[in-house]
Amino acid sequence: MPGAKVIMADVFGKSYDALDGSVQPQVLQFIMKMQRDPDSNGLNLKPPKGAKDKRVRTARVTDNYRAVLMHYAERIYYLVAVLPHDDAYDLAANILFDINKVTGGIELINLGSLYGTLSGQPKAAGSAEGTQPSFFAGVSDADFERLGVHPSIIPALREIRSEDAVLGIVETMPKLARDVVLCLADGMSVEEVWEQVSSLAATEDKIDPQDYEAAIERPATKEAFVVTGDIAEFGRILTEPLSAWRIFLHPAQRALAERKTPYKGPARVTGGPGTGKTVVALHRVKALAERLPPGQAILLTTFTTNLANLLKSHLKDLGGAQLLAKVDVRNIDKVAYGTVKETFGPEAPSRLKDSEILNRWIELAEEQPVQRYDGRFLNAEWKQVVLAQDIRSRDEYFAANRAGRGRRLNRPERAQVWSLIEEFERRLDREKAASVIQLAAQAARIASGWSDEERPYRHIVVDEAQDLHAAHWKLLRALVPEQDDDLFIVGDAHQRIYDNRTSLSAHGINIRGRSKRLTLNYRTTRQILAASLNLLGDSKFDDLDGNTEQLRGYRSVLSGASPETVRYRSPAEEMSALAKRVETWQQEGIKPQEIAVVGRTHAIADSAVQALRDAKLDAVKVEDYRVPDPDEGVHVMTMHRIKGLEYRAVAIVGASDQNMPLPSALTPETEDRLQHAADLRREQSLLFVSATRAREQLSVTWSGRPSRFLEPRTSR
Ligand SMILES: Nc1ncnc2c1ncn2[C@@H]1O[C@H](COP(=O)(O)OP(=O)(O)OP(=O)(O)O)[C@@H](O)[C@H]1O
């Protein structure tokens, strides 16, 4: 008897993750049995009674669990879910499969959950909102269908009368319908939605609504189903819960990442937290690697080593060792140091961390008989004026542009500052040491002298671009010849947490006409998003290229609990409440390693670890360069360390005015007004970054006075 081909639907992952560890291995056994012989008695593969779609089948996985499948062609089955017996029959009764008229891809429509989301909605008449018109009154059925919304969904859309209901229902829809409905709800016209969403997802094929063989080959199907017959591949996929196979690019993301016609120069993608910028960068690397000529290389870089390690593991998930072999994944400081070391070998200076450099500046400033300049001010002047413009002489410094610096320096003052800078650099030379930014400037100087043939990369992709310094951009510009698809840059100035501000065009990186902004957040519930945006107040942010960026249209499809903001009388009380909160989250089914506790300083994080352990909860401090094992417990870390990560639940602790902003991170206002403002914005961004790591639950707590960034939304 020939075996069957089993194809996994994207939604399958959700039901699989919810299964008990003892049932999960049985699912693989079940798939193997299906592949061997779907008609074997033990499987009891049959059409359930009362199913809306005659192709639905149920089959036995264990005594208590059933698989729901769709049988669409001879010996080919889609696996939709494995659920407890009754739930499986419920689902089987309410699903439909069809070929989407726009994408030509196969779609799974779950009418049960779709209509289920409407149950809490006010009725059309007889309720407080009785006269509320249907939210989509202006869109005809024909328009919905033309845009790619399946006709079975349209009656549910007619029931919608509030934005909340829109956001609730889209979670249960097929992908294209979800994007269309969100854009219409955002006020876009039918034509705009066609141009910006549906037409981008449309297939050029002539669609035969019965031809599933052709439909299975289309990209839209491949985004929603894992088409593999290889059992080892199934096993690998199922044991990597958040791995990249589940990431199905939104048409706007796909247009950026998989674009076939080359970008005629550098391209830039911005967008708020969780809009999939990193995902786009990874898919871009994959697309570029697929057409990379032999002997050429791609650089994927970001700001910190931790994030570079994370990118490496995501890239491996996405394309395996084969993809990784074509890509150099390194953080920017390593790229710079590598260039300097190649030239100077063992003579290359050793690297000093930013904190060590700052301490040396503070020492030098304090040694001066007359203390005219604060160490912080001098450090910033050196980094943001001297190193940013690669100034090497007193005359160059006299002529330097000091835009962005808030303290004027007259000529004699500039002479004083320059002599301090010379003294500082002399001391570092004597130590055979250098700051990471000095090394980047040196590397940029070296690489700028190379010919195009000597430039080591064919493409460079940059994540977390907002944190890079001017010297980094000069270096990157010099590491890749100016040509099509040279630089692909991804970032968000709202998340700038290191003190580097510059504009791409100042470094010969011209992105005009090649920049896009992503607006749909896939990570965070809209309740958490609204609270996080509140933290930013009315501060202004840039678009990495000298213009102001706005978060217009930034929204989430997910809905959940409101975040908590709670004040306690003392740090001890706050910490014991933290332990209770973490315990409650765990009781609600959130695993310890899916919970993060975040503090502004190491000391706060350490006291949180202690408090959790005192309450007999497993907790681990997440330090640099190490990812804890899943059984080490709740992850506790600083706000800098959580950058780029995400958790189901996040507790921000110690968010008092004493810690946020951290006084030692602020340049005195009297010393430099603009630097003070930039320091404040950076602290605000740190809190914003921390809050936007939360997928489902967020709590922000403190004792004493709340951080000024919390003021607008604290109701006490
Ligand atoms: N099209 C998509 N469909 C479903 N999930 C997605 C999609 N794109 C991204 N995601 C998920 O959304 C989350 C955020 O993605 P990602 O980390 O790429 O966003 P980001 O913009 O780089 O975020 P941040 O700037 O906050 O670090 C991830 O869990 C990712 O898997």
Side-chain angles (χ1 to χ4, degrees):
M1 197 49 145
K5 184 167 180 178
V6 182
I7 293 167
M8 224 188 302
D10 59 349
V11 287
F12 175 70
K14 246 191 196 165
S15 73
Y16 180 83
D17 284 348
L19 292 176
D20 191 274
S22 64
V23 184
Q24 287 182 340
Q26 312 262 25
V27 174
L28 273 190
Q29 295 287 334
F30 163 78
I31 295 172
M32 273 198 284
K33 278 189 217 155
M34 283 287 297
Q35 287 183 332
R36 229 176 290 128
D37 177 10
D39 301 321
S40 85
N41 281 344
L43 289 175
N44 195 19
L45 182 69
K46 59 175 190 205
K49 287 201 188 86
K52 290 197 170 63
D53 191 317
K54 296 291 163 243
R55 294 163 299 180
V56 174
R57 301 286 180 273
T58 52
R60 183 182 176 284
V61 178
T62 69
D63 281 349
N64 301 321
Y65 283 84
R66 294 291 176 273
V68 179
L69 304 108
M70 183 71 74
H71 180 212
Y72 84 90
E74 187 56 22
R75 314 206 82 75
I76 300 191
Y77 294 85
Y78 285 116
L79 180 55
V80 178
V82 171
L83 294 169
H85 181 279
D86 293 358
D87 297 344
Y89 279 90
D90 258 6
L91 178 72
N94 284 304
I95 51 173
L96 289 181
F97 263 62
D98 209 350
I99 295 180
N100 185 285
K101 291 203 175 65
V102 172
T103 65
I106 300 171
E107 257 179 10
L108 167 70
I109 300 151
N110 183 346
L111 294 172
S113 59
L114 197 70
Y115 283 86
T117 66
L118 296 174
S119 53
Q121 261 236 124
K123 293 272 173 293
S127 72
E129 294 176 53
T131 52
Q132 202 83 338
S134 164
F135 205 83
F136 296 109
V139 185
S140 71
D141 288 6
D143 279 338
F144 272 130
E145 283 197 49
R146 187 165 74 88
L147 294 173
V149 179
H150 192 269
S152 65
I153 299 175
I154 299 173
L157 294 175
R158 297 279 170 234
E159 295 285 311
I160 290 181
R161 277 177 290 280
S162 70
E163 195 187 6
D164 263 9
V166 175
L167 294 167
I169 201 167
V170 290
E171 279 185 69
T172 64
M173 283 186 186
K175 220 173 93 50
L176 177 60
R178 177 176 79 178
D179 294 339
V180 164
V181 167
L182 279 172
C183 292
L184 288 170
D186 240 22
M188 280 165 74
S189 69
V190 169
E191 271 328 299
E192 283 171 333
V193 177
W194 171 254
E195 268 163 36
Q196 293 178 37
V197 177
S198 308
S199 69
L200 299 177
T203 177
E204 286 170 7
D205 300 354
K206 191 171 167 347
I207 300 170
D208 173 349
Q210 301 309 323
D211 188 354
Y212 278 77
E213 298 285 354
I216 201 171
E217 293 304 329
R218 296 203 178 100
T221 309
K222 292 194 173 147
E223 282 170 11
F225 299 91
V226 178
V227 184
T228 177
D230 176 352
I231 197 74
E233 177 76 357
F234 267 120
R236 188 182 72 79
I237 287 165
L238 289 176
T239 49
E240 286 172 11
L242 277 177
S243 69
W245 75 273
R246 285 193 199 160
I247 293 156
F248 316 108
L249 298 180
H250 178 283
Q253 296 174 321
R254 185 155 14 102
L256 292 165
E258 292 174 7
R259 179 179 152 118
K260 297 281 182 315
T261 29
Y263 292 100
K264 298 275 171 222
R268 176 204 62 186
V269 179
T270 53
T275 50
K277 297 182 298 298
T278 300
V279 165
V280 166
L282 291 163
H283 280 261
R284 183 73 196 145
V285 168
K286 182 165 180 266
L288 292 170
E290 274 160 11
R291 44 192 137 106
L292 188 73
Q296 304 212 348
I298 301 177
L299 171 66
L300 169 61
T301 190
T302 182
F303 194 66
T304 64
T305 310
N306 289 321
L307 290 175
N309 291 341
L310 198 64
L311 287 178
K312 209 179 251 180
S313 86
H314 285 335
L315 201 64
K316 189 154 178 245
D317 283 347
L318 192 59
Q322 219 183 348
L323 174 59
L324 217 47
K326 292 184 180 176
V327 188
D328 202 355
V329 190
R330 276 193 290 168
N331 79 308
I332 188 70
D333 290 335
K334 278 217 182 73
V335 174
Y337 201 37
T339 309
V340 173
K341 268 186 140 169
E342 244 172 53
T343 309
F344 294 103
E347 293 302 303
S350 61
R351 284 180 289 183
L352 290 180
K353 284 199 276 193
D354 282 353
S355 53
E356 293 167 313
I357 290 287
L358 177 63
N359 287 341
R360 282 169 169 71
W361 269 120
I362 291 172
E363 267 168 39
L364 180 67
E366 285 173 357
E367 280 171 22
Q368 301 310 305
V370 185
Q371 288 175 19
R372 294 193 181 87
Y373 309 97
D374 173 87
R376 252 173 212 292
F377 169 83
L378 291 169
N379 183 39
E381 183 77 9
W382 185 55
K383 195 168 159 189
Q384 284 168 22
V385 179
V386 175
L387 296 179
Q389 293 169 49
D390 200 19
I391 288 169
R392 315 289 302 285
S393 71
R394 189 174 125 121
D395 286 348
E396 282 174 0
Y397 183 57
F398 279 151
N401 174 0
R402 294 184 65 252
R405 306 288 294 142
R407 172 170 170 182
R408 291 176 62 107
L409 296 178
N410 60 27
R411 209 174 156 82
E413 284 169 337
R414 280 206 196 198
Q416 285 160 359
V417 171
W418 181 253
S419 65
L420 289 171
I421 286 172
E422 278 187 324
E423 172 59 17
F424 187 79
E425 292 189 352
R426 252 194 314 272
R427 288 184 184 188
L428 290 184
D429 279 351
R430 273 203 299 272
E431 267 187 70
K432 286 196 158 208
S435 81
V436 286
I437 301 296
Q438 254 183 316
L439 288 164
Q442 194 171 17
R445 238 174 282 136
I446 296 168
S448 303
W450 289 340
S451 67
D452 275 358
E453 288 66 43
E454 290 172 299
R455 303 191 197 284
Y457 298 109
R458 171 63 188 89
H459 310 283
I460 297 182
V461 176
V462 186
D463 195 13
E464 306 284 356
Q466 72 281 350
D467 285 323
L468 268 55
H469 184 271
H472 294 140
W473 290 115
K474 278 190 206 133
L475 171 62
L476 291 176
R477 179 61 286 174
L479 290 177
V480 61
E482 280 187 41
Q483 56 190 332
D484 290 355
D485 286 332
D486 48 2
L487 283 150
F488 189 84
I489 297 161
V490 162
D492 172 22
H494 302 87
Q495 300 184 62
R496 180 176 291 129
I497 60 169
Y498 299 95
D499 194 22
N500 298 327
R501 284 160 280 145
T502 187
S503 154
L504 294 171
S505 51
H507 311 293
I509 300 173
N510 172 14
I511 47 152
R512 219 168 314 131
R514 288 180 297 276
S515 59
K516 274 273 179 296
R517 195 163 63 88
L518 296 171
T519 53
L520 197 54
N521 179 311
Y522 292 93
R523 175 190 300 137
T524 308
T525 64
R526 56 185 190 278
Q527 288 81 358
I528 294 176
L529 205 59
S532 307
L533 288 170
N534 242 332
L535 297 172
L536 294 179
D538 49 15
S539 297
K540 298 267 179 298
F541 294 87
D542 61 76
D543 67 347
L544 316 181
D545 203 30
N547 304 307
T548 307
E549 171 104 321
Q550 281 166 352
L551 286 170
R552 198 178 74 83
Y554 180 44
R555 62 205 188 279
S556 164
V557 293
L558 308 168
S559 163
S562 292
E564 274 187 291
T565 49
V566 189
R567 175 195 172 165
Y568 295 94
R569 274 169 303 189
S570 66
E573 195 185 57
E574 184 188 359
M575 287 298 154
S576 74
L578 168 72
K580 287 211 185 73
R581 183 167 291 108
V582 165
E583 213 172 343
T584 310
W585 282 338
Q586 293 188 18
Q587 282 157 3
E588 286 167 2
I590 304 183
K591 298 186 185 123
Q593 70 273 24
E594 295 172 331
I595 298 174
V597 177
V598 199
R600 174 64 183 89
T601 61
H602 282 285
I604 297 173
D606 291 339
S607 67
V609 172
Q610 198 52 52
L612 293 175
R613 289 186 183 156
D614 288 349
K616 307 272 175 289
L617 294 165
D618 289 333
V620 55
K621 173 101 177 281
V622 184
E623 304 281 7
D624 274 350
Y625 319 131
R626 198 180 91 83
V627 181
D629 292 331
D631 60 2
E632 287 186 81
V634 171
H635 291 187
V636 185
M637 70 201 95
T638 63
M639 291 182 170
H640 283 91
R641 183 65 178 88
I642 203 169
K643 178 83 178 289
L645 305 181
E646 57 186 33
Y647 289 85
R648 285 181 67 190
V650 172
I652 298 177
V653 291
S656 69
D657 208 28
Q658 267 189 344
N659 302 317
M660 266 331 288
L662 193 67
S664 61
L666 301 181
T667 308
E669 197 170 2
T670 47
E671 195 69 19
D672 187 327
R673 175 179 55 81
L674 294 183
Q675 185 60 42
H676 177 78
D679 293 342
L680 271 180
R681 213 164 30 240
R682 205 182 51 232
E683 290 288 298
Q684 196 172 25
S685 289
L686 253 183
L687 192 55
F688 177 68
V689 164
S690 309
T692 53
R693 304 303 98 195
R695 298 181 75 97
E696 298 165 32
Q697 301 276 359
L698 171 68
S699 81
V700 184
T701 60
W702 66 94
S703 58
R705 282 168 49 80
S707 160
R708 70 185 81 173
F709 306 132
L710 289 165
E711 291 285 15
R713 65 172 315 274
T714 346
S715 50
R716 283 169 308 113

